[in-house]
Short mmCIF file of all heavy atoms in Angstrom, two decimals:
data_model
loop_
_atom_site.label_atom_id
_atom_site.label_comp_id
_atom_site.label_asym_id
_atom_site.label_seq_id
_atom_site.Cartn_x
_atom_site.Cartn_y
_atom_site.Cartn_z
N PRO A 345 8.70 16.24 6.50
CA PRO A 345 8.19 16.32 5.13
C PRO A 345 9.21 15.92 4.07
O PRO A 345 8.83 15.73 2.91
CB PRO A 345 7.80 17.79 4.99
CG PRO A 345 8.69 18.50 5.95
CD PRO A 345 8.81 17.57 7.12
N ASN A 346 10.48 15.77 4.45
CA ASN A 346 11.52 15.44 3.48
C ASN A 346 12.11 14.06 3.68
O ASN A 346 13.15 13.74 3.11
CB ASN A 346 12.62 16.50 3.52
CG ASN A 346 12.10 17.88 3.16
OD1 ASN A 346 11.44 18.04 2.14
ND2 ASN A 346 12.37 18.85 4.01
N ALA A 347 11.45 13.22 4.49
CA ALA A 347 11.93 11.87 4.76
C ALA A 347 10.99 10.85 4.13
O ALA A 347 9.77 10.93 4.30
CB ALA A 347 12.05 11.62 6.25
N ILE A 348 11.56 9.90 3.41
CA ILE A 348 10.78 8.88 2.71
C ILE A 348 11.18 7.50 3.22
O ILE A 348 12.36 7.15 3.24
CB ILE A 348 11.01 8.95 1.18
CG1 ILE A 348 10.72 10.35 0.66
CG2 ILE A 348 10.14 7.91 0.47
CD1 ILE A 348 9.28 10.80 0.79
N GLN A 349 10.19 6.73 3.63
CA GLN A 349 10.45 5.36 4.07
C GLN A 349 10.81 4.49 2.87
O GLN A 349 10.14 4.53 1.84
CB GLN A 349 9.20 4.80 4.75
CG GLN A 349 9.35 3.41 5.30
CD GLN A 349 8.01 2.84 5.74
OE1 GLN A 349 7.15 2.57 4.91
NE2 GLN A 349 7.83 2.68 7.03
N MET A 350 11.88 3.71 3.01
CA MET A 350 12.36 2.86 1.92
C MET A 350 12.08 1.40 2.27
O MET A 350 12.59 0.88 3.27
CB MET A 350 13.87 3.06 1.74
CG MET A 350 14.30 4.52 1.68
SD MET A 350 13.92 5.29 0.10
CE MET A 350 15.38 4.81 -0.81
N SER A 351 11.26 0.76 1.45
CA SER A 351 10.92 -0.64 1.65
C SER A 351 11.36 -1.46 0.45
O SER A 351 11.45 -0.93 -0.68
CB SER A 351 9.41 -0.81 1.86
OG SER A 351 8.96 -0.08 2.98
N ARG A 352 11.63 -2.72 0.67
CA ARG A 352 11.98 -3.63 -0.43
C ARG A 352 10.99 -4.79 -0.41
O ARG A 352 10.65 -5.31 0.65
CB ARG A 352 13.41 -4.16 -0.25
CG ARG A 352 13.88 -5.11 -1.35
CD ARG A 352 14.10 -4.38 -2.65
NE ARG A 352 15.28 -3.54 -2.62
CZ ARG A 352 16.44 -3.87 -3.20
NH1 ARG A 352 16.55 -4.98 -3.89
NH2 ARG A 352 17.48 -3.06 -3.13
N LEU A 353 10.53 -5.18 -1.59
CA LEU A 353 9.53 -6.23 -1.72
C LEU A 353 10.10 -7.40 -2.51
O LEU A 353 10.65 -7.21 -3.60
CB LEU A 353 8.28 -5.68 -2.44
CG LEU A 353 7.14 -6.65 -2.75
CD1 LEU A 353 6.57 -7.25 -1.47
CD2 LEU A 353 6.05 -5.94 -3.55
N LEU A 354 9.96 -8.59 -1.96
CA LEU A 354 10.44 -9.80 -2.62
C LEU A 354 9.29 -10.78 -2.79
O LEU A 354 8.54 -11.03 -1.85
CB LEU A 354 11.55 -10.46 -1.79
CG LEU A 354 12.07 -11.80 -2.31
CD1 LEU A 354 12.88 -11.61 -3.59
CD2 LEU A 354 12.92 -12.50 -1.24
N SER A 355 9.17 -11.35 -3.99
CA SER A 355 8.20 -12.42 -4.22
C SER A 355 8.81 -13.73 -3.76
O SER A 355 9.75 -14.24 -4.37
CB SER A 355 7.82 -12.51 -5.71
OG SER A 355 6.90 -13.57 -5.92
N ILE A 356 8.29 -14.29 -2.68
CA ILE A 356 8.84 -15.53 -2.13
C ILE A 356 8.13 -16.77 -2.70
O ILE A 356 8.57 -17.89 -2.51
CB ILE A 356 8.79 -15.55 -0.60
CG1 ILE A 356 7.36 -15.42 -0.09
CG2 ILE A 356 9.67 -14.43 -0.03
CD1 ILE A 356 7.22 -15.57 1.43
N LYS A 357 7.02 -16.53 -3.40
CA LYS A 357 6.32 -17.62 -4.09
C LYS A 357 5.52 -16.98 -5.21
O LYS A 357 4.57 -16.23 -4.96
CB LYS A 357 5.41 -18.38 -3.12
CG LYS A 357 4.85 -19.69 -3.67
CD LYS A 357 3.62 -19.44 -4.53
CE LYS A 357 3.16 -20.74 -5.20
NZ LYS A 357 2.08 -20.45 -6.21
N THR A 358 5.88 -17.25 -6.44
CA THR A 358 5.35 -16.52 -7.59
C THR A 358 4.41 -17.39 -8.42
O THR A 358 4.66 -18.56 -8.64
CB THR A 358 6.51 -16.04 -8.49
OG1 THR A 358 7.40 -15.24 -7.71
CG2 THR A 358 6.00 -15.23 -9.67
N GLY A 359 3.30 -16.77 -8.90
CA GLY A 359 2.42 -17.39 -9.87
C GLY A 359 1.55 -18.52 -9.34
O GLY A 359 1.71 -18.99 -8.22
N GLY A 360 0.60 -18.93 -10.21
CA GLY A 360 -0.26 -20.06 -9.90
C GLY A 360 -1.32 -19.78 -8.85
O GLY A 360 -1.88 -20.71 -8.27
N CYS A 361 -1.64 -18.53 -8.60
CA CYS A 361 -2.61 -18.19 -7.56
C CYS A 361 -4.02 -18.55 -8.02
O CYS A 361 -4.41 -18.23 -9.15
CB CYS A 361 -2.53 -16.70 -7.23
SG CYS A 361 -3.65 -16.20 -5.91
N PRO A 362 -4.82 -19.19 -7.16
CA PRO A 362 -6.17 -19.60 -7.55
C PRO A 362 -7.18 -18.45 -7.56
O PRO A 362 -8.31 -18.63 -8.03
CB PRO A 362 -6.55 -20.63 -6.49
CG PRO A 362 -5.77 -20.24 -5.29
CD PRO A 362 -4.46 -19.72 -5.82
N GLU A 363 -6.81 -17.28 -7.06
CA GLU A 363 -7.72 -16.14 -7.08
C GLU A 363 -7.79 -15.55 -8.50
O GLU A 363 -6.84 -15.66 -9.28
CB GLU A 363 -7.24 -15.06 -6.10
CG GLU A 363 -7.05 -15.54 -4.69
CD GLU A 363 -8.36 -15.70 -3.92
OE1 GLU A 363 -9.44 -15.76 -4.56
OE2 GLU A 363 -8.31 -15.77 -2.69
N ASP A 364 -8.92 -14.88 -8.80
CA ASP A 364 -9.10 -14.34 -10.16
C ASP A 364 -9.00 -12.81 -10.19
O ASP A 364 -9.69 -12.16 -10.97
CB ASP A 364 -10.42 -14.81 -10.76
CG ASP A 364 -11.65 -14.22 -10.07
OD1 ASP A 364 -11.50 -13.59 -8.99
OD2 ASP A 364 -12.77 -14.40 -10.59
N CYS A 365 -8.14 -12.25 -9.37
CA CYS A 365 -7.95 -10.80 -9.34
C CYS A 365 -7.63 -10.30 -10.76
O CYS A 365 -6.63 -10.72 -11.36
CB CYS A 365 -6.82 -10.42 -8.39
SG CYS A 365 -7.03 -11.08 -6.71
N GLY A 366 -8.46 -9.42 -11.28
CA GLY A 366 -8.36 -9.03 -12.67
C GLY A 366 -7.14 -8.24 -13.04
O GLY A 366 -6.82 -8.09 -14.22
N TYR A 367 -6.42 -7.73 -12.05
CA TYR A 367 -5.24 -6.91 -12.29
C TYR A 367 -3.94 -7.69 -12.23
O TYR A 367 -2.88 -7.16 -12.53
CB TYR A 367 -5.17 -5.79 -11.25
CG TYR A 367 -5.27 -6.29 -9.82
CD1 TYR A 367 -4.19 -6.84 -9.16
CD2 TYR A 367 -6.49 -6.23 -9.14
CE1 TYR A 367 -4.30 -7.32 -7.86
CE2 TYR A 367 -6.61 -6.70 -7.84
CZ TYR A 367 -5.52 -7.24 -7.21
OH TYR A 367 -5.64 -7.73 -5.93
N CYS A 368 -3.98 -8.97 -11.83
CA CYS A 368 -2.78 -9.64 -11.36
C CYS A 368 -2.15 -10.57 -12.40
O CYS A 368 -2.84 -11.41 -12.99
CB CYS A 368 -3.09 -10.43 -10.09
SG CYS A 368 -1.61 -11.09 -9.30
N SER A 369 -0.85 -10.45 -12.56
CA SER A 369 -0.10 -11.32 -13.47
C SER A 369 0.04 -12.73 -12.90
O SER A 369 0.35 -13.67 -13.64
CB SER A 369 1.30 -10.74 -13.71
OG SER A 369 2.04 -10.72 -12.49
N GLN A 370 -0.21 -12.89 -11.59
CA GLN A 370 0.04 -14.17 -10.95
C GLN A 370 -1.19 -15.06 -10.86
O GLN A 370 -1.11 -16.19 -10.35
CB GLN A 370 0.62 -13.93 -9.55
CG GLN A 370 1.87 -13.06 -9.58
CD GLN A 370 2.65 -13.15 -8.29
OE1 GLN A 370 3.18 -14.20 -7.94
NE2 GLN A 370 2.71 -12.06 -7.56
N SER A 371 -2.33 -14.57 -11.33
CA SER A 371 -3.55 -15.37 -11.28
C SER A 371 -3.50 -16.51 -12.29
O SER A 371 -3.17 -16.30 -13.46
CB SER A 371 -4.77 -14.48 -11.57
OG SER A 371 -5.94 -15.27 -11.70
N ALA A 372 -3.88 -17.70 -11.83
CA ALA A 372 -3.93 -18.86 -12.73
C ALA A 372 -5.10 -18.80 -13.70
O ALA A 372 -5.19 -19.62 -14.62
CB ALA A 372 -4.01 -20.15 -11.90
N HIS A 373 -5.97 -17.82 -13.53
CA HIS A 373 -7.16 -17.70 -14.37
C HIS A 373 -6.87 -17.01 -15.70
O HIS A 373 -7.72 -17.06 -16.61
CB HIS A 373 -8.25 -16.91 -13.64
CG HIS A 373 -8.83 -17.62 -12.46
ND1 HIS A 373 -10.07 -18.24 -12.48
CD2 HIS A 373 -8.34 -17.82 -11.22
CE1 HIS A 373 -10.31 -18.79 -11.31
NE2 HIS A 373 -9.28 -18.54 -10.51
N TYR A 374 -5.71 -16.38 -15.84
CA TYR A 374 -5.45 -15.59 -17.04
C TYR A 374 -4.13 -16.00 -17.69
O TYR A 374 -3.17 -16.36 -17.00
CB TYR A 374 -5.38 -14.10 -16.66
CG TYR A 374 -6.59 -13.61 -15.91
CD1 TYR A 374 -6.48 -13.20 -14.59
CD2 TYR A 374 -7.85 -13.59 -16.51
CE1 TYR A 374 -7.60 -12.77 -13.88
CE2 TYR A 374 -8.97 -13.16 -15.82
CZ TYR A 374 -8.84 -12.76 -14.50
OH TYR A 374 -9.94 -12.35 -13.80
N PRO A 375 -4.10 -15.96 -19.03
CA PRO A 375 -2.88 -16.36 -19.75
C PRO A 375 -1.83 -15.25 -19.78
O PRO A 375 -1.56 -14.66 -20.84
CB PRO A 375 -3.41 -16.67 -21.15
CG PRO A 375 -4.58 -15.73 -21.33
CD PRO A 375 -5.21 -15.62 -19.96
N THR A 376 -1.24 -14.98 -18.64
CA THR A 376 -0.26 -13.89 -18.56
C THR A 376 1.16 -14.34 -18.88
O THR A 376 2.06 -13.51 -18.99
CB THR A 376 -0.27 -13.27 -17.15
OG1 THR A 376 0.14 -14.27 -16.20
CG2 THR A 376 -1.66 -12.76 -16.79
N GLY A 377 1.34 -15.66 -19.03
CA GLY A 377 2.66 -16.18 -19.37
C GLY A 377 3.59 -16.34 -18.19
O GLY A 377 4.76 -16.69 -18.36
N LEU A 378 3.10 -16.13 -16.97
CA LEU A 378 3.95 -16.25 -15.79
C LEU A 378 3.87 -17.68 -15.25
O LEU A 378 2.79 -18.21 -14.99
CB LEU A 378 3.49 -15.27 -14.71
CG LEU A 378 4.37 -15.18 -13.46
CD1 LEU A 378 5.71 -14.55 -13.81
CD2 LEU A 378 3.66 -14.37 -12.38
N LYS A 379 5.02 -18.29 -15.09
CA LYS A 379 5.08 -19.66 -14.58
C LYS A 379 5.05 -19.66 -13.06
O LYS A 379 5.63 -18.80 -12.41
CB LYS A 379 6.34 -20.37 -15.09
CG LYS A 379 6.36 -20.58 -16.59
CD LYS A 379 7.61 -21.34 -17.01
CE LYS A 379 7.62 -21.59 -18.52
NZ LYS A 379 8.84 -22.33 -18.94
N ALA A 380 4.39 -20.67 -12.51
CA ALA A 380 4.31 -20.79 -11.05
C ALA A 380 5.61 -21.34 -10.49
O ALA A 380 6.30 -22.15 -11.13
CB ALA A 380 3.15 -21.70 -10.67
N SER A 381 5.96 -20.88 -9.30
CA SER A 381 7.14 -21.37 -8.62
C SER A 381 6.76 -21.83 -7.21
O SER A 381 5.70 -21.50 -6.70
CB SER A 381 8.21 -20.27 -8.52
OG SER A 381 7.78 -19.23 -7.65
N LYS A 382 7.66 -22.58 -6.60
CA LYS A 382 7.45 -23.02 -5.23
C LYS A 382 7.94 -21.95 -4.26
O LYS A 382 8.63 -21.00 -4.64
CB LYS A 382 8.20 -24.33 -4.98
CG LYS A 382 7.69 -25.49 -5.81
CD LYS A 382 8.47 -26.77 -5.48
CE LYS A 382 7.95 -27.94 -6.28
NZ LYS A 382 8.71 -29.20 -5.98
#
Side-chain angles (χ1 to χ4, degrees):
N346 299 309
I348 305 295
Q349 182 190 68
M350 312 284 274
S351 300
R352 181 70 72 104
L353 176 62
L354 175 70
S355 179
I356 60 174
K357 191 277 173 189
T358 304
C361 182
E363 305 283 17
D364 68 350
C365 306
Y367 52 79
C368 189
S369 64
Q370 305 196 65
S371 172
H373 292 257
Y374 307 114
T376 63
L378 186 69
K379 294 183 179 180
S381 68
K382 295 181 180 180

